[in-house]
Amino acid sequence: MSGRISDNLDTLPEYLRTAAQRDGIGTVADVISSIALATKSIASKVRRARIGGDVIGEVGATNVQGEEQQKLDVISNDLLIHCLSRCPHVGVLGSEEEDEVVVVRPASAGGEYGVLFDPLDGSSNIDVAAGVGTIFSVLRSAGSAESGASSVLQPGSSQLAAGYVLYGSSVLMVLTLGDGVDMFVLDPELGEFVRVQSRLQIPHDNKVRSINGAYRMDFAEGYQSYLAWTEENGYGSRYIGSMVADVHRTLLKGGVFLYPATAKAPSGKLRLMYEANPMSMLVEQAGGSAVTGTGRILDVEPHELHQRTPVVLGSAGEVEKVLAHL
């Protein structure tokens, strides 16, 4: 007996095969496999960022968001596009790093799915070895892939699968196929993700908030009232500055993650299609809540690929306490 963690656990390929047979997710499993392949390579690049060549720092250009692109942003984006383009069921790709969607193949050639992703969330933290991650969302393309972004501009409730990969002290994939949330760890010996937790449930309450307090005076009065209330009631504060890392901790430990609108970003900062929607699907599938402050995130009708939204998500009881102040 080797004692390796994966000896008695399902690998991701085994899990996907079983899910495809049991739950009828079919070719979605192939899409997830392509994402897993890309993220294994990204994980290797992140691990070797200081010793594997010139991959640290900015590229000297901005993305469509007006944000400085990190070298690993571009590398991660290219890896995901490369792997997903070779999946015969993918028709359209949408990325934080691309101005427009990438049309891979028409529906007539098998391109039935759209995949949206943030290739390396929190990439500005690479220099200090803080947790970063990849966020992804899988939708069935509406209409023809040739119609571009309109084929994937669907509310988050239409997602078939969603998840993230956290590149931290270990490499984790948290995944939902629409029937609960499972967590996988990349076994470096086996070279595969192995399932370590099934039916993950977020605690209903925990007195922890995750928010960038530097913007406090720019938040609406209701959020300022909520923050004052948490300080009066013994709440802890945890904030890393990487959505994947902050939401992951919230998902496991409970609490609430907030990124409200500000005076400078009245529509919010986080992107609806490839950040808020996939994270909201995961949180809801784990028994939590995810809202904009005025309604359910997964019900928002999108009108463009890089649309932004305010975000409040986490433990159902904690989200209720935020809403009580708005």
Side-chain angles (χ1 to χ4, degrees):
M1 180 177 296
S2 70
R4 189 172 57 203
I5 188 173
S6 51
D7 287 341
N8 299 310
L9 298 171
D10 290 339
T11 65
L12 180 62
E14 291 168 340
Y15 168 85
L16 292 172
R17 279 194 297 271
T18 301
Q21 295 168 358
R22 183 190 65 234
D23 301 329
I25 65 165
T27 50
V28 171
D30 296 331
V31 179
I32 302 301
S33 294
S34 296
I35 292 170
L37 178 61
T39 56
K40 285 187 226 177
S41 186
I42 294 170
S44 177
K45 299 291 185 186
V46 170
R47 291 274 192 244
R48 292 179 52 80
R50 290 284 180 185
I51 58 177
D54 187 22
V55 296
I56 289 286
E58 298 173 351
V59 297
T62 59
N63 61 19
V64 67
Q65 324 295 331
E67 299 165 343
E68 289 290 339
Q69 285 183 309
Q70 303 294 314
K71 293 173 183 177
L72 272 173
D73 284 325
V74 177
I75 292 169
S76 301
N77 188 57
D78 289 347
L79 284 167
L80 280 158
I81 291 175
H82 175 83
C83 292
L84 284 164
S85 295
R86 281 153 180 76
C87 177
H89 311 296
V90 172
V92 180
L93 300 173
S95 168
E96 181 182 27
E97 303 303 327
E98 301 288 337
D99 292 2
E100 305 291 341
V101 295
V102 177
V103 177
V104 176
R105 60 181 57 80
S108 60
E112 59 182 312
Y113 301 116
V115 184
L116 308 177
F117 51 86
D118 182 348
L120 199 64
D121 172 71
S123 56
S124 60
N125 285 327
I126 284 286
D127 299 24
V128 296
V132 296
T134 296
I135 311 171
F136 59 88
S137 168
V138 182
L139 299 139
R140 192 176 301 280
S141 295
S144 63
E146 295 91 326
S147 60
S150 62
S151 67
V152 291
L153 289 181
Q154 305 168 46
S157 56
S158 299
Q159 293 173 109
L160 302 174
Y164 60 80
V165 175
L166 172 62
Y167 313 109
S169 56
S170 57
V171 179
L172 305 172
M173 176 184 284
V174 178
L175 173 69
T176 181
L177 301 175
D179 183 25
V181 178
D182 292 282
M183 184 165 67
F184 302 79
V185 174
L186 182 61
D187 181 339
E189 294 182 21
L190 190 64
E192 289 287 359
F193 286 99
V194 295
R195 185 164 55 160
V196 295
Q197 190 167 348
S198 302
R199 301 287 177 178
L200 193 155
Q201 288 288 298
I202 185 171
H204 186 267
D205 299 277
N206 189 17
K207 297 171 71 170
V208 177
R209 66 185 200 194
S210 179
I211 186 170
N212 188 344
Y215 296 123
R216 179 171 183 158
M217 301 311 296
D218 288 333
F219 295 150
E221 183 178 344
Y223 288 102
Q224 294 189 41
S225 171
Y226 166 74
L227 292 177
W229 178 84
T230 61
E231 289 161 359
E232 294 166 1
N233 286 273
Y235 272 63
S237 183
R238 302 286 187 276
Y239 187 72
I240 298 169
S242 163
M243 187 185 190
V244 170
D246 283 311
V247 172
H248 181 69
R249 185 196 57 252
T250 302
L251 193 62
L252 296 187
K253 302 292 187 181
V256 62
F257 170 87
L258 308 94
Y259 213 119
T262 64
K264 292 182 179 179
S267 298
K269 182 181 179 184
L270 297 175
R271 270 62 59 148
L272 172 68
M273 299 301 294
Y274 42 81
E275 292 178 326
N277 274 344
M279 290 303 202
S280 296
M281 183 180 184
L282 286 164
V283 167
E284 286 198 3
Q285 285 287 319
S289 298
V291 300
T292 63
T294 58
R296 182 180 179 230
I297 289 174
L298 295 182
D299 289 337
V300 175
E301 291 285 347
H303 53 78
E304 63 107 357
L305 179 64
H306 301 293
Q307 183 171 331
R308 297 175 188 258
T309 182
V311 171
V312 179
L313 58 78
S315 298
E318 297 303 333
V319 171
E320 289 176 8
K321 292 167 188 172
V322 177
L323 293 176
H325 288 81
L326 303 185

